[in-house]
Amino acid sequence: QVQLVESGGGLVQAGGSLRLSCAASGRTFNYYTMGWFRQAPGKAREFVAAISSSGTSTYYADSVKGRFSISRDNAKSTVYLQMNSLKPEDTAVYYCATGPRPYASVTATESEYNYWGQGTQVTVSS
């Protein structure tokens, strides 16, 4: 059974940085694309970033491009989201996710992800 556990959220001032981690278990981590999504209060969940199984391909939402960086350590079965230059509008619960197919292409399509973590809260104060 696939389990995803996020950590690293918290309260930070605008302009600050945070690094989120997502530890995966239950299957061979390095076969699968990983993604990060977020959901702000009263809004739909939205795509943030994705990384291919090998780590060579990444994809970002326009709203975070140039500020956020996704990476993975396959030896540790962990994916990271480095968030810099944070803005109040980045405030949300952040979720990591993965899909059912090995070696899938990076995608922003939420329906391509069927395993989700419990989320970690990120709050950016102005």
Side-chain angles (χ1 to χ4, degrees):
Q1 180 173 334
V2 177
Q3 289 191 320
L4 303 173
V5 179
E6 301 97 335
S7 61
L11 173 64
V12 63
Q13 287 189 327
S17 298
L18 281 175
R19 188 176 82 153
L20 306 184
S21 300
C22 172
S25 62
R27 66 182 186 184
T28 305
F29 179 76
N30 57 305
Y31 287 178
Y32 298 92
T33 289
M34 299 295 297
W36 284 96
F37 289 75
R38 67 186 181 186
Q39 188 167 22
K43 295 188 176 182
R45 189 158 54 188
E46 64 175 3
F47 170 76
V48 175
I51 187 167
S52 63
S53 56
S54 64
T56 56
S57 180
T58 58
Y59 182 42
Y60 296 92
D62 288 344
S63 58
V64 307
K65 206 172 292 183
R67 300 188 298 121
F68 290 12
S69 177
I70 189 171
S71 62
R72 64 192 294 159
D73 185 337
N74 285 343
K76 295 182 178 179
S77 298
T78 301
V79 62
Y80 304 97
L81 185 68
Q82 178 67 44
M83 306 185 295
N84 299 327
S85 302
L86 281 161
K87 304 175 181 179
E89 51 263 44
D90 295 318
T91 295
V93 178
Y94 283 71
Y95 300 89
C96 72
T98 189
R101 295 192 311 277
Y103 308 114
S105 298
V106 290
T107 178
T109 304
E110 190 171 329
S111 60
E112 295 292 328
Y113 297 86
N114 65 332
Y115 296 106
W116 296 83
Q118 83 289 348
T120 186
Q121 176 70 47
V122 171
T123 303
V124 184
S125 63
S126 56

